[in-house]
Amino acid sequence: MYKKISKIFVIIQCCLLVNAAQAQVSVPAGQSDIIIRSGQRSYAFTPSFVVLYNATDPGMALKPSGIKKVEYNVLTWKVKDSSRADFAQKKVSAAVAGDGFDDRILHGKAEWRTANIFNAGERTAIKATGTRQQGDTVFFVFPETPPYKLSVYLLTTAKPYPLLQYSFRPSRPGYYSIGYTGAPACTPEKAAAVWQPLIWQEKRIPDAAYLTPAFMATLPATMVYDGVNTVGVLAAPKEIPFQPLPMLPNSRFGVSLLNEQRQLQPQVYAPIPGGYGSQMKANEVFDFSFYLVTEPKPVTETYQKIAQQVFGFKDYRHNDIASLNTALDNMVDYSLSQYAWFIDSLKGCAYSTDVPGAVKNVSSLNPLELALVRDDAVMFEKRAYPLIEFMLSREKFLFSLDSTQKIQSPSRKLKGPIAPLSELAALYNIFGKQNDFYLLMAQQEYGRDRVRNMDGKEKGNTWINAMYLYTATRDKKYLQDAVTKANQYLAQRINKPQTGFADPLQTGYFFWPTFTGRWIEFLQLYELTGDKRYLEAAQQGARQYTMFTWMCPLIPDSLITVNKGGKAPMYWYLKSKGHQQMYYPEEQAPAWRLSEIGLTPESSGTSTGHRGIFMANYAPWMLRIGYYTRDTFLMNVAKASIIGRYRNFPGYHINTERTTAYEKVDFPLHAHKDQSVNSFHYNHILPMASMLLDYLVTDAFVRSQGRINFPSEYMEGYAYLQNKLYGAQKGSFYTEKEVQLWMPVRLLQINNTELNYIAARKDDKLLLAFTNQSAKPVTATITINPAWVTLNGKSIVTAYTGKINKALTNSSFTITVPANGITAVAVQQAVIKSAFQQKILDTRQVDTGRDYAKLATGNAHALLFQLGQYGRRLYVYLEDDDNKYRQATLVYTDANGKEARIEDTAYPFEFTVPVDKEARVPFYLSLTGIDGKEVKSEGVVMGAVK
């Protein structure tokens, strides 16, 4: 109940009529409302506040919400009155655990709690009852509330919106929160779109009056779009400082959208009840300021304007510490080192950060792309080929031999393929459509649903899968199926704002792509069909995705001291796992280089612990969509997420303090237990390298205005790990056609870090495109590595665009690249040394014969791989495990007609045999049961005439 209140004055300074950011602001004489007129509509912002009071600590705590299909943590408070205990903590299964999940949040003790901000304390409402004017100042007369004094004033000349500021002084000690509740309210039915960070967008309305704390607000605002204007409240930049890193303990405020009448009404509460600054002594002063937002634009465009004009977002990053090519080279070197923790016997990347003893892979296409583009046989043999076998045989991405392991729901079964249909189609295409079993598996996957990652079941016959079956078969029935179902999805999901969490292609909501329509796939359907409806859908989804990227806090133009005392930050999760402290010198770095602006939290469920992740796989897609649609905001978000952040694999996230540790070239070169700054998911290394390669190629495509263009396949992976795969097909480079992308390790040495490059080859031409990541022209010396390219006296350099010095001196030449521009050249009369790439991409049609067989004994599968002219491999694996057999033996006949045997005494039972010369490969299996009895399979001949 509201307390009885009496009279007090609250002063509001304002001009009677001011044009602020295209909106007219007025306080009519004799009234108490602030009237803002915009887009032919007027909105009344009343000087109305509530004060929440608790005599003792209300026990603010994050808890798992009960929102169906969504993992998300919300603020809650203890209550003494059971009628206000409206929060039922969600039961969390044992599978929900690992990095990013906090047991203090997931498994708190049972107690009476509320998640509704209006139940978080004794609530006193105050509203102006009259006005008097003195000069250009309007005094608002408020009823008196003896326990405290509130002084408020309005700055109508603030840009880009009017700014309300208040000062609060209690007369008794306790825990306080002051909420602004005077923004216009409307019913959910009248709203065209809403936004409350992090998960409520489109027309998804919160089911309770949740308060989003400052550290979880990508912009500190809530907003409602009525079809003409977006109306909201927005905390001022000074209320969310850059340093220290925003976290719950230092969050000064929270924002909310739903009022007590369940109407949509943007609100801001400061301090948070029980949070930073809420405990006040008598006569202690608390100040706060926020904007009154009225913008004649939809929510996503308002988000952009606020980001740019209030928080200064722009094209703010440049390479500074290293080029993206240097980072890529270092990252690939690292991926093949002992520190990358690849477990050869399990064909997978260790996943002990989350699940002890398990391995997890994303896609075989990431290392395959790197092997192709970088002409790297070692990458193929050590990573790409083993992962191809893994992706075809395992049941889930997460594989664990421990059958009792429950965390994140792993599998120990060889019941594949785990590869998504798109990956099977890509493998079929890459290897010249010579391995029919890829297509067979893809068609089987189209006809069934499957659980691949955690517990989410994916549908098989979707428009997305139909699109990839078309790329593999060129059968127009699949394209028609893709278009028909995509149009249905457009109508159901894209053109109709979502009111809940029920995307027809999603079973649950966790990673950010699940919250937006399938915009990445719509971009590809646009590139396949040219239908602009799909491009519009892609842009819409990409812009909604930008609302998960950090646009605050405001980056100061200053240096920040990091690694104080020579210690790098210690991530609490790793400390609890026994990891050792890391040490890096105390130093100062420019604030912009340390900023999370442009990155996203990991997911809805782990956003409380993983503030900004470096896996920004969305960046190349946004860059490309931005180019197609001339949307510079998307292009700037893309660049902000990638450029100038690291020299090597930087680990996963920004999470505790600001630091330069992850900028260092040796940062990942430590044993697992010696990493303590952030978590290492070793299955992310290769996808991150693909992400950088995708960005490099896309950046060249965009800056050349499409004149550098390489065809691609799709790397779907899971979660948000989607990128284009390049290198399997030849492309164009200005006037040159049928050009092969070719970027071997350390091909070039460049004496300026601001230049990124891509490289390609055609006959005796080395083609190079340099992109300047800075706002200043760059002149640099380029030196070609003679280990890869040999030049002679006849070699010359010519330009397609930009300025060059045509003279070659000791394999070097100079170029000038315009600010944020491109220079492209050809080095002619060059001898280019390609060994692996040339062979594996030579997919001249050969009669491979029988390439797949299913054996009843052991539930075994046999696959015969044709790897271009590089070679052939026989791969045999058993679905039956060590509960039935204790040993498996492959008996085959080699090229000389001799019998050979390979024994496997530990599950998983699988065999790989190079069969380069054999036209026919006869074999059978001999299996020893756990009872000691031996059983032989039927004989099979692989490679025989079909």
PDB file of all heavy atoms in Angstrom, residues 203-220:
ATOM      1  N   LYS A 203       7.807  -8.307 -30.244  1.00  0.00           N
ATOM      2  CA  LYS A 203       6.679  -8.057 -29.342  1.00  0.00           C
ATOM      3  C   LYS A 203       6.656  -9.074 -28.205  1.00  0.00           C
ATOM      4  O   LYS A 203       5.611  -9.436 -27.677  1.00  0.00           O
ATOM      5  CB  LYS A 203       5.354  -8.093 -30.108  1.00  0.00           C
ATOM      6  CG  LYS A 203       5.127  -6.887 -30.993  1.00  0.00           C
ATOM      7  CD  LYS A 203       3.693  -6.802 -31.502  1.00  0.00           C
ATOM      8  CE  LYS A 203       2.717  -6.503 -30.386  1.00  0.00           C
ATOM      9  NZ  LYS A 203       1.342  -6.277 -30.891  1.00  0.00           N
ATOM     10  N   ARG A 204       7.839  -9.526 -27.804  1.00  0.00           N
ATOM     11  CA  ARG A 204       7.938 -10.427 -26.661  1.00  0.00           C
ATOM     12  C   ARG A 204       7.846  -9.590 -25.387  1.00  0.00           C
ATOM     13  O   ARG A 204       8.754  -8.816 -25.074  1.00  0.00           O
ATOM     14  CB  ARG A 204       9.255 -11.187 -26.707  1.00  0.00           C
ATOM     15  CG  ARG A 204       9.399 -12.109 -27.924  1.00  0.00           C
ATOM     16  CD  ARG A 204      10.722 -12.843 -27.870  1.00  0.00           C
ATOM     17  NE  ARG A 204      10.899 -13.724 -28.998  1.00  0.00           N
ATOM     18  CZ  ARG A 204      11.891 -13.620 -29.889  1.00  0.00           C
ATOM     19  NH1 ARG A 204      12.786 -12.656 -29.762  1.00  0.00           N
ATOM     20  NH2 ARG A 204      11.984 -14.462 -30.895  1.00  0.00           N
ATOM     21  N   ILE A 205       6.767  -9.753 -24.664  1.00  0.00           N
ATOM     22  CA  ILE A 205       6.501  -8.958 -23.469  1.00  0.00           C
ATOM     23  C   ILE A 205       6.960  -9.731 -22.238  1.00  0.00           C
ATOM     24  O   ILE A 205       6.642 -10.922 -22.095  1.00  0.00           O
ATOM     25  CB  ILE A 205       4.990  -8.655 -23.337  1.00  0.00           C
ATOM     26  CG1 ILE A 205       4.430  -8.078 -24.643  1.00  0.00           C
ATOM     27  CG2 ILE A 205       4.739  -7.715 -22.164  1.00  0.00           C
ATOM     28  CD1 ILE A 205       5.030  -6.787 -25.082  1.00  0.00           C
ATOM     29  N   PRO A 206       7.702  -9.099 -21.327  1.00  0.00           N
ATOM     30  CA  PRO A 206       8.068  -9.804 -20.093  1.00  0.00           C
ATOM     31  C   PRO A 206       6.820 -10.279 -19.357  1.00  0.00           C
ATOM     32  O   PRO A 206       5.782  -9.605 -19.360  1.00  0.00           O
ATOM     33  CB  PRO A 206       8.817  -8.727 -19.288  1.00  0.00           C
ATOM     34  CG  PRO A 206       9.264  -7.723 -20.301  1.00  0.00           C
ATOM     35  CD  PRO A 206       8.231  -7.721 -21.371  1.00  0.00           C
ATOM     36  N   ASP A 207       6.919 -11.453 -18.742  1.00  0.00           N
ATOM     37  CA  ASP A 207       5.781 -11.977 -18.002  1.00  0.00           C
ATOM     38  C   ASP A 207       5.734 -11.451 -16.572  1.00  0.00           C
ATOM     39  O   ASP A 207       4.826 -11.803 -15.811  1.00  0.00           O
ATOM     40  CB  ASP A 207       5.795 -13.507 -18.003  1.00  0.00           C
ATOM     41  CG  ASP A 207       7.026 -14.084 -17.334  1.00  0.00           C
ATOM     42  OD1 ASP A 207       8.069 -13.392 -17.315  1.00  0.00           O
ATOM     43  OD2 ASP A 207       6.964 -15.228 -16.843  1.00  0.00           O
ATOM     44  N   ALA A 208       6.696 -10.637 -16.203  1.00  0.00           N
ATOM     45  CA  ALA A 208       6.726 -10.006 -14.882  1.00  0.00           C
ATOM     46  C   ALA A 208       7.529  -8.714 -14.996  1.00  0.00           C
ATOM     47  O   ALA A 208       8.203  -8.468 -15.996  1.00  0.00           O
ATOM     48  CB  ALA A 208       7.344 -10.950 -13.842  1.00  0.00           C
ATOM     49  N   ALA A 209       7.450  -7.898 -13.962  1.00  0.00           N
ATOM     50  CA  ALA A 209       8.157  -6.608 -13.961  1.00  0.00           C
ATOM     51  C   ALA A 209       9.613  -6.827 -13.570  1.00  0.00           C
ATOM     52  O   ALA A 209      10.083  -6.383 -12.513  1.00  0.00           O
ATOM     53  CB  ALA A 209       7.485  -5.629 -13.013  1.00  0.00           C
ATOM     54  N   TYR A 210      10.342  -7.538 -14.443  1.00  0.00           N
ATOM     55  CA  TYR A 210      11.753  -7.813 -14.191  1.00  0.00           C
ATOM     56  C   TYR A 210      12.561  -6.518 -14.290  1.00  0.00           C
ATOM     57  O   TYR A 210      12.264  -5.636 -15.092  1.00  0.00           O
ATOM     58  CB  TYR A 210      12.290  -8.810 -15.215  1.00  0.00           C
ATOM     59  CG  TYR A 210      11.600 -10.146 -15.208  1.00  0.00           C
ATOM     60  CD1 TYR A 210      10.931 -10.599 -16.346  1.00  0.00           C
ATOM     61  CD2 TYR A 210      11.623 -10.974 -14.085  1.00  0.00           C
ATOM     62  CE1 TYR A 210      10.300 -11.835 -16.366  1.00  0.00           C
ATOM     63  CE2 TYR A 210      10.991 -12.211 -14.099  1.00  0.00           C
ATOM     64  CZ  TYR A 210      10.331 -12.639 -15.237  1.00  0.00           C
ATOM     65  OH  TYR A 210       9.706 -13.860 -15.250  1.00  0.00           O
ATOM     66  N   LEU A 211      13.628  -6.463 -13.507  1.00  0.00           N
ATOM     67  CA  LEU A 211      14.556  -5.331 -13.558  1.00  0.00           C
ATOM     68  C   LEU A 211      15.872  -5.830 -14.140  1.00  0.00           C
ATOM     69  O   LEU A 211      16.513  -6.714 -13.574  1.00  0.00           O
ATOM     70  CB  LEU A 211      14.790  -4.760 -12.155  1.00  0.00           C
ATOM     71  CG  LEU A 211      15.580  -3.448 -12.099  1.00  0.00           C
ATOM     72  CD1 LEU A 211      14.742  -2.292 -12.621  1.00  0.00           C
ATOM     73  CD2 LEU A 211      16.061  -3.157 -10.678  1.00  0.00           C
ATOM     74  N   THR A 212      16.250  -5.298 -15.298  1.00  0.00           N
ATOM     75  CA  THR A 212      17.536  -5.658 -15.900  1.00  0.00           C
ATOM     76  C   THR A 212      18.627  -4.801 -15.290  1.00  0.00           C
ATOM     77  O   THR A 212      18.602  -3.571 -15.424  1.00  0.00           O
ATOM     78  CB  THR A 212      17.509  -5.435 -17.421  1.00  0.00           C
ATOM     79  OG1 THR A 212      16.466  -6.217 -17.996  1.00  0.00           O
ATOM     80  CG2 THR A 212      18.840  -5.819 -18.044  1.00  0.00           C
ATOM     81  N   PRO A 213      19.601  -5.391 -14.588  1.00  0.00           N
ATOM     82  CA  PRO A 213      20.668  -4.582 -13.984  1.00  0.00           C
ATOM     83  C   PRO A 213      21.568  -3.982 -15.052  1.00  0.00           C
ATOM     84  O   PRO A 213      21.679  -4.489 -16.165  1.00  0.00           O
ATOM     85  CB  PRO A 213      21.422  -5.593 -13.114  1.00  0.00           C
ATOM     86  CG  PRO A 213      21.137  -6.918 -13.736  1.00  0.00           C
ATOM     87  CD  PRO A 213      19.764  -6.829 -14.323  1.00  0.00           C
ATOM     88  N   ALA A 214      22.234  -2.900 -14.706  1.00  0.00           N
ATOM     89  CA  ALA A 214      23.041  -2.145 -15.664  1.00  0.00           C
ATOM     90  C   ALA A 214      24.037  -3.023 -16.398  1.00  0.00           C
ATOM     91  O   ALA A 214      24.234  -2.882 -17.611  1.00  0.00           O
ATOM     92  CB  ALA A 214      23.762  -1.005 -14.947  1.00  0.00           C
ATOM     93  N   PHE A 215      24.669  -3.955 -15.694  1.00  0.00           N
ATOM     94  CA  PHE A 215      25.732  -4.732 -16.322  1.00  0.00           C
ATOM     95  C   PHE A 215      25.202  -5.731 -17.344  1.00  0.00           C
ATOM     96  O   PHE A 215      25.970  -6.297 -18.106  1.00  0.00           O
ATOM     97  CB  PHE A 215      26.584  -5.439 -15.260  1.00  0.00           C
ATOM     98  CG  PHE A 215      26.097  -6.801 -14.847  1.00  0.00           C
ATOM     99  CD1 PHE A 215      26.785  -7.947 -15.208  1.00  0.00           C
ATOM    100  CD2 PHE A 215      24.944  -6.937 -14.081  1.00  0.00           C
ATOM    101  CE1 PHE A 215      26.348  -9.205 -14.821  1.00  0.00           C
ATOM    102  CE2 PHE A 215      24.498  -8.190 -13.690  1.00  0.00           C
ATOM    103  CZ  PHE A 215      25.203  -9.330 -14.061  1.00  0.00           C
ATOM    104  N   MET A 216      23.888  -5.936 -17.394  1.00  0.00           N
ATOM    105  CA  MET A 216      23.290  -6.831 -18.381  1.00  0.00           C
ATOM    106  C   MET A 216      22.552  -6.063 -19.477  1.00  0.00           C
ATOM    107  O   MET A 216      21.846  -6.660 -20.301  1.00  0.00           O
ATOM    108  CB  MET A 216      22.324  -7.810 -17.704  1.00  0.00           C
ATOM    109  CG  MET A 216      23.012  -8.836 -16.830  1.00  0.00           C
ATOM    110  SD  MET A 216      21.836  -9.915 -15.950  1.00  0.00           S
ATOM    111  CE  MET A 216      21.097 -10.826 -17.296  1.00  0.00           C
ATOM    112  N   ALA A 217      22.701  -4.758 -19.504  1.00  0.00           N
ATOM    113  CA  ALA A 217      21.999  -3.927 -20.479  1.00  0.00           C
ATOM    114  C   ALA A 217      22.975  -3.494 -21.563  1.00  0.00           C
ATOM    115  O   ALA A 217      23.875  -2.690 -21.304  1.00  0.00           O
ATOM    116  CB  ALA A 217      21.382  -2.709 -19.797  1.00  0.00           C
ATOM    117  N   THR A 218      22.811  -4.027 -22.784  1.00  0.00           N
ATOM    118  CA  THR A 218      23.695  -3.643 -23.886  1.00  0.00           C
ATOM    119  C   THR A 218      23.552  -2.163 -24.214  1.00  0.00           C
ATOM    120  O   THR A 218      24.493  -1.528 -24.666  1.00  0.00           O
ATOM    121  CB  THR A 218      23.409  -4.493 -25.129  1.00  0.00           C
ATOM    122  OG1 THR A 218      22.003  -4.478 -25.398  1.00  0.00           O
ATOM    123  CG2 THR A 218      23.871  -5.923 -24.924  1.00  0.00           C
ATOM    124  N   LEU A 219      22.386  -1.604 -24.032  1.00  0.00           N
ATOM    125  CA  LEU A 219      22.159  -0.174 -23.858  1.00  0.00           C
ATOM    126  C   LEU A 219      21.268  -0.035 -22.634  1.00  0.00           C
ATOM    127  O   LEU A 219      20.306  -0.806 -22.483  1.00  0.00           O
ATOM    128  CB  LEU A 219      21.461   0.454 -25.072  1.00  0.00           C
ATOM    129  CG  LEU A 219      22.336   0.960 -26.209  1.00  0.00           C
ATOM    130  CD1 LEU A 219      21.475   1.591 -27.296  1.00  0.00           C
ATOM    131  CD2 LEU A 219      23.403   1.945 -25.749  1.00  0.00           C
ATOM    132  N   PRO A 220      21.527   0.931 -21.763  1.00  0.00           N
ATOM    133  CA  PRO A 220      20.791   1.004 -20.493  1.00  0.00           C
ATOM    134  C   PRO A 220      19.426   1.657 -20.664  1.00  0.00           C
ATOM    135  O   PRO A 220      19.175   2.764 -20.187  1.00  0.00           O
ATOM    136  CB  PRO A 220      21.715   1.846 -19.607  1.00  0.00           C
ATOM    137  CG  PRO A 220      22.418   2.755 -20.563  1.00  0.00           C
ATOM    138  CD  PRO A 220      22.610   1.939 -21.818  1.00  0.00           C
TER     139      PRO A 220
END
